[in-house]
Amino acid sequence: MIQPVIAGNWKMNKHIGEAVAFARRLRAAFATPPAREVIIAPPFTALHAVAEALRGSCIRMAAQTLHEAEKGAFTGEISGGMLREAGCTHVIVGHSERRTLFGESDGSINRKLRAALIAGLQPIFCIGESLRQREAGETPKVIEGQLKEGLNNLTADDIGLCIIAYEPVWAIGTGKTASPEQAQEVHRFIREWIARQYGGAAAERLAILYGGSVTPANAAALLAQPDINGALVGGASLDVDSFVQVIGH
Ligand code: PGA
């Protein structure tokens, strides 16, 4: 039985004070731990303060990306070790905004996944097709390519530490959610691919999250699908009440 995961990706939102106030309210809402693992991903500047606000709670914290090296002359970048030190347990890797706006390739995403694992962070590895690719019937091919290249050289043990997030690019921030059936079809495809490459045990343990316009109104139907083990939530994670409602489903 996979513990469902609800992760909130704040993107470039919230100053330190707002982030800490959110963390305190979220913590108060889950004085009794929910059945689902709850993760929030604040921007870098708020990580340390949010970790302090969450200390001793059941809520985990992710960074939104990391650099592939441990340290060095990489102006503006942040390493996995630094994120651990700031209190992160998880890190989002390969989000479609990183791929499309910041030119991250499958190769660099693979190096980032490995850097995260070396630093002791659990990666939330994001994959998903564009609208053009879906309409051209290329979804399976695109997903397979992203899995193959992103997970290149990872072992079944490594996969056991990863979370995968399927986020169709056309559903992110657009209000157009994939239907539960559309999402389930791709989640099933991902799990079967993992089973073929890494064995059934790894596939059965793997949490596969859906992301793309998840809200309190559609979360329950998505999460009821057999291969959807949680959600990566953007817009609806910025408001504590709506995020609590998504978690509560
Ligand atoms: P959204 O973002 O929920 O605002 O569509 C999801 C994501 O980008 O992870």
Side-chain angles (χ1 to χ4, degrees):
M1 178 66 191
I2 301 166
Q3 188 189 22
V5 177
I6 308 290
N9 174 13
W10 291 357
K11 310 191 180 183
M12 197 171 72
N13 291 291
K14 295 194 192 293
H15 291 268
I16 297 171
E18 298 167 299
V20 167
F22 183 111
R24 291 201 179 117
R25 284 191 58 200
L26 189 64
R27 175 181 190 148
F30 294 112
T32 312
R36 294 171 176 172
E37 176 155 56
V38 179
I39 305 169
I40 51 176
F44 288 136
T45 46
L47 288 176
H48 183 62
V50 167
E52 291 297 313
L54 294 177
R55 189 186 287 275
S57 80
C58 60
I59 299 155
R60 301 281 168 261
M61 188 175 73
Q64 298 173 16
T65 185
L66 80 167
H67 190 266
E68 57 197 63
E70 267 173 59
K71 61 178 179 170
F74 301 105
T75 301
E77 294 295 321
I78 310 267
S79 73
M82 293 169 181
L83 297 175
R84 274 286 296 215
E85 187 188 26
C88 294
T89 49
H90 294 73
V91 60
I92 299 170
V93 177
H95 189 279
S96 74
E97 286 151 18
R98 303 291 321 166
R99 292 175 187 262
T100 58
L101 303 175
F102 302 100
E104 287 190 12
S105 64
D106 288 317
S108 81
I109 289 164
N110 175 251
R111 293 189 291 277
K112 285 175 186 233
L113 284 174
R114 283 189 274 157
L117 292 166
I118 289 167
L121 293 163
Q122 269 192 272
I124 303 174
F125 169 42
C126 302
I127 54 177
E129 82 288 359
S130 68
L131 185 58
R132 192 196 56 72
Q133 290 164 333
R134 173 162 283 263
E135 285 174 345
E138 292 169 4
T139 302
K141 192 181 91 189
V142 171
I143 296 294
E144 177 162 18
Q146 290 173 339
L147 286 168
K148 206 168 162 184
E149 296 192 34
L151 300 176
N152 186 29
N153 280 329
L154 264 61
T155 64
D157 286 346
D158 293 333
I159 301 298
L161 297 167
C162 292
I163 294 171
I164 292 184
Y166 168 58
E167 299 204 301
V169 178
W170 48 273
I172 295 176
T174 58
K176 285 191 206 139
T177 331
S179 69
E181 296 72 26
Q182 277 175 325
Q184 164 60 24
E185 192 183 1
V186 181
H187 282 233
R188 184 80 226 147
F189 177 86
I190 295 168
R191 200 177 306 283
E192 285 172 356
W193 190 88
I194 294 286
R196 281 197 301 280
Q197 304 296 320
Y198 300 97
E204 276 159 36
R205 282 196 305 266
L206 178 69
I208 309 176
L209 317 186
Y210 169 79
S213 299
V214 174
T215 65
N218 60 29
L222 287 159
L223 283 152
Q225 296 296 318
D227 288 296
I228 301 186
N229 312 113
L232 181 54
V233 189
S237 75
L238 293 173
D239 175 74
V240 80
D241 294 325
S242 82
F243 190 50
V244 165
Q245 282 179 55
V246 171
I247 298 162
H249 274 291

